[in-house]
Amino acid sequence: MTQHYDVAAVRQAFPAAEHVVYLDSGFQTPLSRPVKEAYERFLHEGFETAGPKQVWLSRLEETRAKVATLFGAQPHEIAFTKNTSESMNIAANALPLKAGDKVLMIHGDHPNNAYAFLNLKKKGVEVVFIPMTPVVNADSFRSHIDDRTRAISMSHVTFHAGHRFDVESVGELCERHGLYFVVDVMQGIGVTPINAKTMKATFIGSGTHKGLLVPQGLGLLYWDSSKIEMEPAYLAAASLAEPPTDFIAREDNMALPATAGRFELGNYNLPAIQGLGAAIDLINTVGIENIEGHCFDLGDYLIERLDELDVGLVGPRDRQHRAPHIYVIALPAAEWLDYFTQNGIRISPERDGIRVSLGMFNTTADIDRLVEAVRARNVPSTQARTAVLSKLG
């Protein structure tokens, strides 16, 4: 494998990786030392001083700028939310859709993206699902567009088989047809580069507890600020261009800012945002292209080892169409999940098998441990299985 960075050094930042073969970052990434330290600093400050709020808000804006760079965007185009689901719901309800308008989506994509738009059916909006195929690009949607189509919403990377869809070509298609484009990048962000402008997205939604290394409870929303017609479905003083200093609501003071702050409600998840700032610093130190390359190499190695055992892969094998870090092994989850858990291997069950999801801290030794556990279970005799497993330690 190519040495993209010092993996051993990075691994030291993730103590959980030394106690379990952690191949489940597509579910939740282990807490890293820098993120833990950011939380501890927040708690210490709150405990000792009851909270230096202006300092915390200043750090929030520093983190907003870091997120913007990660998205290839500007800080005023970034809002903080609760999670991906909230981000997608904000986006769906901000689109100026009316009865009879049509939204195109992919069948089998993440349900929390789909439900955000299916909920608009009560307004008379039609949601049409196109088939999910191994390759999804502009051609997949082209024949489904008609004069009622107003938007396309899709994931960048699928959670259940590691497809990486050609969102850039779909964004180009949307631009040519004057369609809004909403993208869920939850499974890809932090592992593969994201560029909102190249995607030509109207909105991009994500959470932070996978590739962005922060515990659950924080989400991100990118908004193309040239789409000024986008308005929030709900409003608070913090959402306004000029929040009332006397805290008295007035009907003549409801103008929205020209920033993504129009989609925020205030009282942020401050400890998580400080943790996110530390996490992005760690990601930037390693280099997101390096993380992507490392995970691709590990994926190649996993596929090679599985081929030796004649064990199939559910999702795409070609790098062009697969995410670098998500692989679903064609082993029935009901039969294999407990076995892996008992042998100290953390993975997730998925629709069609066992999902292996990689992080910046994983090594070929982690892949070997997984593969040898599969081999051991397939060895005919109990004595031979025990011998194989004992070598794995």
Side-chain angles (χ1 to χ4, degrees), residues 149-183:
T149 307
R150 297 294 305 283
I152 293 175
S153 183
M154 65 186 294
S155 292
H156 177 213
V157 169
T158 65
F159 70 99
H160 55 83
H163 303 88
R164 181 166 60 170
F165 295 141
D166 185 359
V167 291
E168 287 80 9
S169 74
V170 179
E172 291 277 358
L173 179 72
C174 288
E175 184 176 63
R176 284 198 299 274
H177 287 270
L179 308 180
Y180 298 116
F181 188 34
V182 181
V183 186

PDB file of all heavy atoms in Angstrom, residues 149-183:
ATOM      1  N   THR A 149     -41.140  19.198 -13.337  1.00  0.00           N
ATOM      2  CA  THR A 149     -40.015  18.864 -12.467  1.00  0.00           C
ATOM      3  C   THR A 149     -39.341  20.138 -11.968  1.00  0.00           C
ATOM      4  O   THR A 149     -38.985  21.011 -12.754  1.00  0.00           O
ATOM      5  CB  THR A 149     -38.987  17.996 -13.215  1.00  0.00           C
ATOM      6  OG1 THR A 149     -39.646  16.857 -13.783  1.00  0.00           O
ATOM      7  CG2 THR A 149     -37.897  17.522 -12.267  1.00  0.00           C
ATOM      8  N   ARG A 150     -39.184  20.227 -10.654  1.00  0.00           N
ATOM      9  CA  ARG A 150     -38.594  21.427 -10.066  1.00  0.00           C
ATOM     10  C   ARG A 150     -37.299  21.147  -9.301  1.00  0.00           C
ATOM     11  O   ARG A 150     -36.536  22.081  -9.053  1.00  0.00           O
ATOM     12  CB  ARG A 150     -39.597  22.076  -9.093  1.00  0.00           C
ATOM     13  CG  ARG A 150     -40.881  22.567  -9.736  1.00  0.00           C
ATOM     14  CD  ARG A 150     -40.649  23.721 -10.706  1.00  0.00           C
ATOM     15  NE  ARG A 150     -39.932  24.839 -10.086  1.00  0.00           N
ATOM     16  CZ  ARG A 150     -40.479  25.731  -9.264  1.00  0.00           C
ATOM     17  NH1 ARG A 150     -41.771  25.643  -8.952  1.00  0.00           N
ATOM     18  NH2 ARG A 150     -39.747  26.706  -8.765  1.00  0.00           N
ATOM     19  N   ALA A 151     -37.084  19.895  -8.899  1.00  0.00           N
ATOM     20  CA  ALA A 151     -35.920  19.622  -8.058  1.00  0.00           C
ATOM     21  C   ALA A 151     -35.499  18.167  -8.146  1.00  0.00           C
ATOM     22  O   ALA A 151     -36.301  17.284  -8.482  1.00  0.00           O
ATOM     23  CB  ALA A 151     -36.224  19.988  -6.599  1.00  0.00           C
ATOM     24  N   ILE A 152     -34.232  17.935  -7.840  1.00  0.00           N
ATOM     25  CA  ILE A 152     -33.677  16.589  -7.660  1.00  0.00           C
ATOM     26  C   ILE A 152     -32.992  16.564  -6.303  1.00  0.00           C
ATOM     27  O   ILE A 152     -32.294  17.509  -5.928  1.00  0.00           O
ATOM     28  CB  ILE A 152     -32.666  16.234  -8.764  1.00  0.00           C
ATOM     29  CG1 ILE A 152     -33.368  16.120 -10.123  1.00  0.00           C
ATOM     30  CG2 ILE A 152     -31.929  14.945  -8.430  1.00  0.00           C
ATOM     31  CD1 ILE A 152     -32.419  15.884 -11.294  1.00  0.00           C
ATOM     32  N   SER A 153     -33.203  15.492  -5.550  1.00  0.00           N
ATOM     33  CA  SER A 153     -32.528  15.314  -4.267  1.00  0.00           C
ATOM     34  C   SER A 153     -31.941  13.911  -4.208  1.00  0.00           C
ATOM     35  O   SER A 153     -32.613  12.939  -4.563  1.00  0.00           O
ATOM     36  CB  SER A 153     -33.499  15.541  -3.107  1.00  0.00           C
ATOM     37  OG  SER A 153     -32.822  15.443  -1.869  1.00  0.00           O
ATOM     38  N   MET A 154     -30.691  13.802  -3.745  1.00  0.00           N
ATOM     39  CA  MET A 154     -30.007  12.504  -3.747  1.00  0.00           C
ATOM     40  C   MET A 154     -28.828  12.528  -2.775  1.00  0.00           C
ATOM     41  O   MET A 154     -28.385  13.582  -2.334  1.00  0.00           O
ATOM     42  CB  MET A 154     -29.506  12.182  -5.155  1.00  0.00           C
ATOM     43  CG  MET A 154     -28.438  13.157  -5.648  1.00  0.00           C
ATOM     44  SD  MET A 154     -27.937  12.899  -7.376  1.00  0.00           S
ATOM     45  CE  MET A 154     -27.144  11.293  -7.270  1.00  0.00           C
ATOM     46  N   SER A 155     -28.330  11.339  -2.487  1.00  0.00           N
ATOM     47  CA  SER A 155     -27.103  11.209  -1.706  1.00  0.00           C
ATOM     48  C   SER A 155     -25.890  11.245  -2.620  1.00  0.00           C
ATOM     49  O   SER A 155     -25.965  10.870  -3.789  1.00  0.00           O
ATOM     50  CB  SER A 155     -27.097   9.892  -0.922  1.00  0.00           C
ATOM     51  OG  SER A 155     -28.070   9.897   0.094  1.00  0.00           O
ATOM     52  N   HIS A 156     -24.781  11.684  -2.061  1.00  0.00           N
ATOM     53  CA  HIS A 156     -23.495  11.618  -2.755  1.00  0.00           C
ATOM     54  C   HIS A 156     -22.947  10.199  -2.678  1.00  0.00           C
ATOM     55  O   HIS A 156     -22.496   9.636  -3.685  1.00  0.00           O
ATOM     56  CB  HIS A 156     -22.530  12.608  -2.093  1.00  0.00           C
ATOM     57  CG  HIS A 156     -21.154  12.607  -2.653  1.00  0.00           C
ATOM     58  ND1 HIS A 156     -20.048  12.859  -1.884  1.00  0.00           N
ATOM     59  CD2 HIS A 156     -20.684  12.391  -3.899  1.00  0.00           C
ATOM     60  CE1 HIS A 156     -18.966  12.801  -2.629  1.00  0.00           C
ATOM     61  NE2 HIS A 156     -19.318  12.512  -3.852  1.00  0.00           N
ATOM     62  N   VAL A 157     -23.006   9.625  -1.472  1.00  0.00           N
ATOM     63  CA  VAL A 157     -22.543   8.257  -1.215  1.00  0.00           C
ATOM     64  C   VAL A 157     -23.668   7.508  -0.509  1.00  0.00           C
ATOM     65  O   VAL A 157     -24.273   8.039   0.416  1.00  0.00           O
ATOM     66  CB  VAL A 157     -21.285   8.267  -0.326  1.00  0.00           C
ATOM     67  CG1 VAL A 157     -20.943   6.867   0.165  1.00  0.00           C
ATOM     68  CG2 VAL A 157     -20.097   8.864  -1.081  1.00  0.00           C
ATOM     69  N   THR A 158     -23.956   6.289  -0.931  1.00  0.00           N
ATOM     70  CA  THR A 158     -25.017   5.520  -0.283  1.00  0.00           C
ATOM     71  C   THR A 158     -24.483   4.834   0.971  1.00  0.00           C
ATOM     72  O   THR A 158     -23.346   4.374   1.013  1.00  0.00           O
ATOM     73  CB  THR A 158     -25.622   4.453  -1.214  1.00  0.00           C
ATOM     74  OG1 THR A 158     -24.625   3.473  -1.534  1.00  0.00           O
ATOM     75  CG2 THR A 158     -26.152   5.092  -2.485  1.00  0.00           C
ATOM     76  N   PHE A 159     -25.352   4.770   1.973  1.00  0.00           N
ATOM     77  CA  PHE A 159     -24.971   4.185   3.259  1.00  0.00           C
ATOM     78  C   PHE A 159     -24.971   2.669   3.229  1.00  0.00           C
ATOM     79  O   PHE A 159     -24.322   2.024   4.051  1.00  0.00           O
ATOM     80  CB  PHE A 159     -25.933   4.665   4.352  1.00  0.00           C
ATOM     81  CG  PHE A 159     -27.321   4.092   4.242  1.00  0.00           C
ATOM     82  CD1 PHE A 159     -27.708   3.009   5.012  1.00  0.00           C
ATOM     83  CD2 PHE A 159     -28.239   4.613   3.339  1.00  0.00           C
ATOM     84  CE1 PHE A 159     -28.992   2.471   4.903  1.00  0.00           C
ATOM     85  CE2 PHE A 159     -29.514   4.088   3.227  1.00  0.00           C
ATOM     86  CZ  PHE A 159     -29.897   3.017   4.009  1.00  0.00           C
ATOM     87  N   HIS A 160     -25.696   2.058   2.300  1.00  0.00           N
ATOM     88  CA  HIS A 160     -25.972   0.627   2.377  1.00  0.00           C
ATOM     89  C   HIS A 160     -25.122  -0.224   1.444  1.00  0.00           C
ATOM     90  O   HIS A 160     -25.129  -1.446   1.562  1.00  0.00           O
ATOM     91  CB  HIS A 160     -27.451   0.357   2.064  1.00  0.00           C
ATOM     92  CG  HIS A 160     -27.882   0.918   0.748  1.00  0.00           C
ATOM     93  ND1 HIS A 160     -27.681   0.271  -0.434  1.00  0.00           N
ATOM     94  CD2 HIS A 160     -28.478   2.090   0.439  1.00  0.00           C
ATOM     95  CE1 HIS A 160     -28.141   1.008  -1.427  1.00  0.00           C
ATOM     96  NE2 HIS A 160     -28.629   2.122  -0.925  1.00  0.00           N
ATOM     97  N   ALA A 161     -24.394   0.383   0.524  1.00  0.00           N
ATOM     98  CA  ALA A 161     -23.544  -0.433  -0.355  1.00  0.00           C
ATOM     99  C   ALA A 161     -22.339   0.329  -0.886  1.00  0.00           C
ATOM    100  O   ALA A 161     -21.552  -0.221  -1.637  1.00  0.00           O
ATOM    101  CB  ALA A 161     -24.358  -0.990  -1.530  1.00  0.00           C
ATOM    102  N   GLY A 162     -22.203   1.600  -0.496  1.00  0.00           N
ATOM    103  CA  GLY A 162     -21.011   2.338  -0.883  1.00  0.00           C
ATOM    104  C   GLY A 162     -20.975   2.834  -2.310  1.00  0.00           C
ATOM    105  O   GLY A 162     -19.889   3.091  -2.837  1.00  0.00           O
ATOM    106  N   HIS A 163     -22.146   2.993  -2.953  1.00  0.00           N
ATOM    107  CA  HIS A 163     -22.135   3.641  -4.264  1.00  0.00           C
ATOM    108  C   HIS A 163     -21.688   5.086  -4.109  1.00  0.00           C
ATOM    109  O   HIS A 163     -22.103   5.771  -3.173  1.00  0.00           O
ATOM    110  CB  HIS A 163     -23.537   3.660  -4.890  1.00  0.00           C
ATOM    111  CG  HIS A 163     -24.162   2.312  -5.051  1.00  0.00           C
ATOM    112  ND1 HIS A 163     -24.902   1.725  -4.052  1.00  0.00           N
ATOM    113  CD2 HIS A 163     -24.177   1.453  -6.101  1.00  0.00           C
ATOM    114  CE1 HIS A 163     -25.349   0.551  -4.471  1.00  0.00           C
ATOM    115  NE2 HIS A 163     -24.912   0.358  -5.711  1.00  0.00           N
ATOM    116  N   ARG A 164     -20.873   5.565  -5.033  1.00  0.00           N
ATOM    117  CA  ARG A 164     -20.575   6.988  -5.094  1.00  0.00           C
ATOM    118  C   ARG A 164     -21.149   7.496  -6.406  1.00  0.00           C
ATOM    119  O   ARG A 164     -20.671   7.167  -7.488  1.00  0.00           O
ATOM    120  CB  ARG A 164     -19.071   7.263  -5.021  1.00  0.00           C
ATOM    121  CG  ARG A 164     -18.775   8.768  -5.051  1.00  0.00           C
ATOM    122  CD  ARG A 164     -17.359   9.102  -4.652  1.00  0.00           C
ATOM    123  NE  ARG A 164     -16.366   8.503  -5.510  1.00  0.00           N
ATOM    124  CZ  ARG A 164     -15.073   8.808  -5.459  1.00  0.00           C
ATOM    125  NH1 ARG A 164     -14.627   9.681  -4.569  1.00  0.00           N
ATOM    126  NH2 ARG A 164     -14.220   8.218  -6.258  1.00  0.00           N
ATOM    127  N   PHE A 165     -22.200   8.303  -6.289  1.00  0.00           N
ATOM    128  CA  PHE A 165     -22.919   8.748  -7.469  1.00  0.00           C
ATOM    129  C   PHE A 165     -22.268   9.992  -8.075  1.00  0.00           C
ATOM    130  O   PHE A 165     -21.606  10.773  -7.375  1.00  0.00           O
ATOM    131  CB  PHE A 165     -24.380   9.032  -7.123  1.00  0.00           C
ATOM    132  CG  PHE A 165     -25.152   7.816  -6.696  1.00  0.00           C
ATOM    133  CD1 PHE A 165     -26.091   7.888  -5.674  1.00  0.00           C
ATOM    134  CD2 PHE A 165     -24.943   6.583  -7.305  1.00  0.00           C
ATOM    135  CE1 PHE A 165     -26.815   6.775  -5.285  1.00  0.00           C
ATOM    136  CE2 PHE A 165     -25.658   5.453  -6.915  1.00  0.00           C
ATOM    137  CZ  PHE A 165     -26.592   5.551  -5.900  1.00  0.00           C
ATOM    138  N   ASP A 166     -22.489  10.179  -9.349  1.00  0.00           N
ATOM    139  CA  ASP A 166     -21.899  11.297 -10.082  1.00  0.00           C
ATOM    140  C   ASP A 166     -22.756  12.546  -9.865  1.00  0.00           C
ATOM    141  O   ASP A 166     -23.514  12.965 -10.749  1.00  0.00           O
ATOM    142  CB  ASP A 166     -21.806  10.936 -11.566  1.00  0.00           C
ATOM    143  CG  ASP A 166     -21.087  11.998 -12.388  1.00  0.00           C
ATOM    144  OD1 ASP A 166     -20.680  13.023 -11.814  1.00  0.00           O
ATOM    145  OD2 ASP A 166     -20.947  11.802 -13.614  1.00  0.00           O
ATOM    146  N   VAL A 167     -22.632  13.131  -8.693  1.00  0.00           N
ATOM    147  CA  VAL A 167     -23.460  14.290  -8.360  1.00  0.00           C
ATOM    148  C   VAL A 167     -23.082  15.511  -9.195  1.00  0.00           C
ATOM    149  O   VAL A 167     -23.927  16.386  -9.444  1.00  0.00           O
ATOM    150  CB  VAL A 167     -23.380  14.621  -6.854  1.00  0.00           C
ATOM    151  CG1 VAL A 167     -24.047  13.550  -6.023  1.00  0.00           C
ATOM    152  CG2 VAL A 167     -21.935  14.826  -6.412  1.00  0.00           C
ATOM    153  N   GLU A 168     -21.840  15.576  -9.653  1.00  0.00           N
ATOM    154  CA  GLU A 168     -21.439  16.730 -10.466  1.00  0.00           C
ATOM    155  C   GLU A 168     -22.206  16.771 -11.782  1.00  0.00           C
ATOM    156  O   GLU A 168     -22.679  17.836 -12.208  1.00  0.00           O
ATOM    157  CB  GLU A 168     -19.932  16.701 -10.727  1.00  0.00           C
ATOM    158  CG  GLU A 168     -19.079  17.051  -9.526  1.00  0.00           C
ATOM    159  CD  GLU A 168     -18.895  15.895  -8.563  1.00  0.00           C
ATOM    160  OE1 GLU A 168     -19.303  14.751  -8.911  1.00  0.00           O
ATOM    161  OE2 GLU A 168     -18.372  16.121  -7.457  1.00  0.00           O
ATOM    162  N   SER A 169     -22.363  15.613 -12.429  1.00  0.00           N
ATOM    163  CA  SER A 169     -23.102  15.607 -13.700  1.00  0.00           C
ATOM    164  C   SER A 169     -24.580  15.886 -13.467  1.00  0.00           C
ATOM    165  O   SER A 169     -25.236  16.541 -14.284  1.00  0.00           O
ATOM    166  CB  SER A 169     -22.915  14.273 -14.437  1.00  0.00           C
ATOM    167  OG  SER A 169     -23.648  13.218 -13.820  1.00  0.00           O
ATOM    168  N   VAL A 170     -25.116  15.431 -12.330  1.00  0.00           N
ATOM    169  CA  VAL A 170     -26.518  15.711 -12.011  1.00  0.00           C
ATOM    170  C   VAL A 170     -26.692  17.201 -11.724  1.00  0.00           C
ATOM    171  O   VAL A 170     -27.679  17.819 -12.136  1.00  0.00           O
ATOM    172  CB  VAL A 170     -26.998  14.858 -10.819  1.00  0.00           C
ATOM    173  CG1 VAL A 170     -28.447  15.187 -10.479  1.00  0.00           C
ATOM    174  CG2 VAL A 170     -26.848  13.372 -11.125  1.00  0.00           C
ATOM    175  N   GLY A 171     -25.716  17.799 -11.056  1.00  0.00           N
ATOM    176  CA  GLY A 171     -25.766  19.233 -10.813  1.00  0.00           C
ATOM    177  C   GLY A 171     -25.754  20.034 -12.099  1.00  0.00           C
ATOM    178  O   GLY A 171     -26.478  21.037 -12.241  1.00  0.00           O
ATOM    179  N   GLU A 172     -24.940  19.599 -13.050  1.00  0.00           N
ATOM    180  CA  GLU A 172     -24.913  20.254 -14.375  1.00  0.00           C
ATOM    181  C   GLU A 172     -26.278  20.143 -15.041  1.00  0.00           C
ATOM    182  O   GLU A 172     -26.780  21.102 -15.645  1.00  0.00           O
ATOM    183  CB  GLU A 172     -23.840  19.606 -15.257  1.00  0.00           C
ATOM    184  CG  GLU A 172     -22.407  19.859 -14.835  1.00  0.00           C
ATOM    185  CD  GLU A 172     -21.886  21.200 -15.337  1.00  0.00           C
ATOM    186  OE1 GLU A 172     -22.633  21.912 -16.037  1.00  0.00           O
ATOM    187  OE2 GLU A 172     -20.726  21.519 -15.014  1.00  0.00           O
ATOM    188  N   LEU A 173     -26.885  18.971 -14.946  1.00  0.00           N
ATOM    189  CA  LEU A 173     -28.209  18.751 -15.526  1.00  0.00           C
ATOM    190  C   LEU A 173     -29.231  19.694 -14.888  1.00  0.00           C
ATOM    191  O   LEU A 173     -30.056  20.301 -15.590  1.00  0.00           O
ATOM    192  CB  LEU A 173     -28.621  17.294 -15.320  1.00  0.00           C
ATOM    193  CG  LEU A 173     -29.999  16.889 -15.856  1.00  0.00           C
ATOM    194  CD1 LEU A 173     -29.983  16.842 -17.383  1.00  0.00           C
ATOM    195  CD2 LEU A 173     -30.404  15.518 -15.294  1.00  0.00           C
ATOM    196  N   CYS A 174     -29.171  19.798 -13.573  1.00  0.00           N
ATOM    197  CA  CYS A 174     -30.106  20.687 -12.868  1.00  0.00           C
ATOM    198  C   CYS A 174     -29.916  22.136 -13.312  1.00  0.00           C
ATOM    199  O   CYS A 174     -30.897  22.867 -13.535  1.00  0.00           O
ATOM    200  CB  CYS A 174     -29.910  20.575 -11.361  1.00  0.00           C
ATOM    201  SG  CYS A 174     -30.498  19.018 -10.651  1.00  0.00           S
ATOM    202  N   GLU A 175     -28.679  22.556 -13.449  1.00  0.00           N
ATOM    203  CA  GLU A 175     -28.421  23.933 -13.872  1.00  0.00           C
ATOM    204  C   GLU A 175     -28.987  24.198 -15.266  1.00  0.00           C
ATOM    205  O   GLU A 175     -29.602  25.247 -15.509  1.00  0.00           O
ATOM    206  CB  GLU A 175     -26.918  24.208 -13.850  1.00  0.00           C
ATOM    207  CG  GLU A 175     -26.555  25.643 -14.180  1.00  0.00           C
ATOM    208  CD  GLU A 175     -25.075  25.911 -14.055  1.00  0.00           C
ATOM    209  OE1 GLU A 175     -24.299  25.282 -14.811  1.00  0.00           O
ATOM    210  OE2 GLU A 175     -24.680  26.734 -13.218  1.00  0.00           O
ATOM    211  N   ARG A 176     -28.816  23.241 -16.183  1.00  0.00           N
ATOM    212  CA  ARG A 176     -29.319  23.426 -17.550  1.00  0.00           C
ATOM    213  C   ARG A 176     -30.843  23.501 -17.590  1.00  0.00           C
ATOM    214  O   ARG A 176     -31.413  24.204 -18.434  1.00  0.00           O
ATOM    215  CB  ARG A 176     -28.833  22.291 -18.456  1.00  0.00           C
ATOM    216  CG  ARG A 176     -27.384  22.401 -18.861  1.00  0.00           C
ATOM    217  CD  ARG A 176     -27.071  21.548 -20.078  1.00  0.00           C
ATOM    218  NE  ARG A 176     -27.310  20.139 -19.847  1.00  0.00           N
ATOM    219  CZ  ARG A 176     -26.419  19.320 -19.317  1.00  0.00           C
ATOM    220  NH1 ARG A 176     -25.226  19.779 -18.937  1.00  0.00           N
ATOM    221  NH2 ARG A 176     -26.697  18.045 -19.138  1.00  0.00           N
ATOM    222  N   HIS A 177     -31.507  22.772 -16.697  1.00  0.00           N
ATOM    223  CA  HIS A 177     -32.968  22.731 -16.706  1.00  0.00           C
ATOM    224  C   HIS A 177     -33.592  23.669 -15.674  1.00  0.00           C
ATOM    225  O   HIS A 177     -34.820  23.670 -15.516  1.00  0.00           O
ATOM    226  CB  HIS A 177     -33.454  21.299 -16.456  1.00  0.00           C
ATOM    227  CG  HIS A 177     -33.246  20.381 -17.621  1.00  0.00           C
ATOM    228  ND1 HIS A 177     -34.187  20.204 -18.623  1.00  0.00           N
ATOM    229  CD2 HIS A 177     -32.186  19.599 -17.961  1.00  0.00           C
ATOM    230  CE1 HIS A 177     -33.728  19.337 -19.513  1.00  0.00           C
ATOM    231  NE2 HIS A 177     -32.507  18.948 -19.130  1.00  0.00           N
ATOM    232  N   GLY A 178     -32.769  24.438 -14.967  1.00  0.00           N
ATOM    233  CA  GLY A 178     -33.305  25.354 -13.972  1.00  0.00           C
ATOM    234  C   GLY A 178     -33.927  24.658 -12.783  1.00  0.00           C
ATOM    235  O   GLY A 178     -34.916  25.143 -12.213  1.00  0.00           O
ATOM    236  N   LEU A 179     -33.356  23.524 -12.367  1.00  0.00           N
ATOM    237  CA  LEU A 179     -33.883  22.756 -11.242  1.00  0.00           C
ATOM    238  C   LEU A 179     -33.075  23.031  -9.981  1.00  0.00           C
ATOM    239  O   LEU A 179     -31.871  23.314 -10.039  1.00  0.00           O
ATOM    240  CB  LEU A 179     -33.827  21.253 -11.539  1.00  0.00           C
ATOM    241  CG  LEU A 179     -34.442  20.762 -12.846  1.00  0.00           C
ATOM    242  CD1 LEU A 179     -34.282  19.254 -12.961  1.00  0.00           C
ATOM    243  CD2 LEU A 179     -35.905  21.165 -12.939  1.00  0.00           C
ATOM    244  N   TYR A 180     -33.725  22.931  -8.847  1.00  0.00           N
ATOM    245  CA  TYR A 180     -33.019  22.975  -7.576  1.00  0.00           C
ATOM    246  C   TYR A 180     -32.375  21.611  -7.326  1.00  0.00           C
ATOM    247  O   TYR A 180     -32.906  20.567  -7.728  1.00  0.00           O
ATOM    248  CB  TYR A 180     -33.982  23.314  -6.439  1.00  0.00           C
ATOM    249  CG  TYR A 180     -34.617  24.673  -6.584  1.00  0.00           C
ATOM    250  CD1 TYR A 180     -35.999  24.798  -6.755  1.00  0.00           C
ATOM    251  CD2 TYR A 180     -33.847  25.834  -6.550  1.00  0.00           C
ATOM    252  CE1 TYR A 180     -36.593  26.052  -6.884  1.00  0.00           C
ATOM    253  CE2 TYR A 180     -34.431  27.087  -6.684  1.00  0.00           C
ATOM    254  CZ  TYR A 180     -35.801  27.188  -6.857  1.00  0.00           C
ATOM    255  OH  TYR A 180     -36.382  28.418  -6.996  1.00  0.00           O
ATOM    256  N   PHE A 181     -31.239  21.637  -6.635  1.00  0.00           N
ATOM    257  CA  PHE A 181     -30.491  20.406  -6.416  1.00  0.00           C
ATOM    258  C   PHE A 181     -30.096  20.312  -4.948  1.00  0.00           C
ATOM    259  O   PHE A 181     -29.419  21.196  -4.414  1.00  0.00           O
ATOM    260  CB  PHE A 181     -29.246  20.387  -7.304  1.00  0.00           C
ATOM    261  CG  PHE A 181     -28.482  19.085  -7.311  1.00  0.00           C
ATOM    262  CD1 PHE A 181     -29.134  17.862  -7.197  1.00  0.00           C
ATOM    263  CD2 PHE A 181     -27.101  19.078  -7.452  1.00  0.00           C
ATOM    264  CE1 PHE A 181     -28.435  16.664  -7.226  1.00  0.00           C
ATOM    265  CE2 PHE A 181     -26.388  17.885  -7.489  1.00  0.00           C
ATOM    266  CZ  PHE A 181     -27.056  16.683  -7.373  1.00  0.00           C
ATOM    267  N   VAL A 182     -30.546  19.249  -4.287  1.00  0.00           N
ATOM    268  CA  VAL A 182     -30.289  19.033  -2.860  1.00  0.00           C
ATOM    269  C   VAL A 182     -29.483  17.747  -2.715  1.00  0.00           C
ATOM    270  O   VAL A 182     -29.864  16.700  -3.255  1.00  0.00           O
ATOM    271  CB  VAL A 182     -31.613  18.934  -2.074  1.00  0.00           C
ATOM    272  CG1 VAL A 182     -31.332  18.739  -0.588  1.00  0.00           C
ATOM    273  CG2 VAL A 182     -32.466  20.183  -2.299  1.00  0.00           C
ATOM    274  N   VAL A 183     -28.384  17.818  -1.967  1.00  0.00           N
ATOM    275  CA  VAL A 183     -27.470  16.677  -1.855  1.00  0.00           C
ATOM    276  C   VAL A 183     -27.202  16.351  -0.388  1.00  0.00           C
ATOM    277  O   VAL A 183     -26.902  17.244   0.413  1.00  0.00           O
ATOM    278  CB  VAL A 183     -26.131  16.950  -2.569  1.00  0.00           C
ATOM    279  CG1 VAL A 183     -25.260  15.689  -2.562  1.00  0.00           C
ATOM    280  CG2 VAL A 183     -26.348  17.431  -3.996  1.00  0.00           C
TER     281      VAL A 183
END
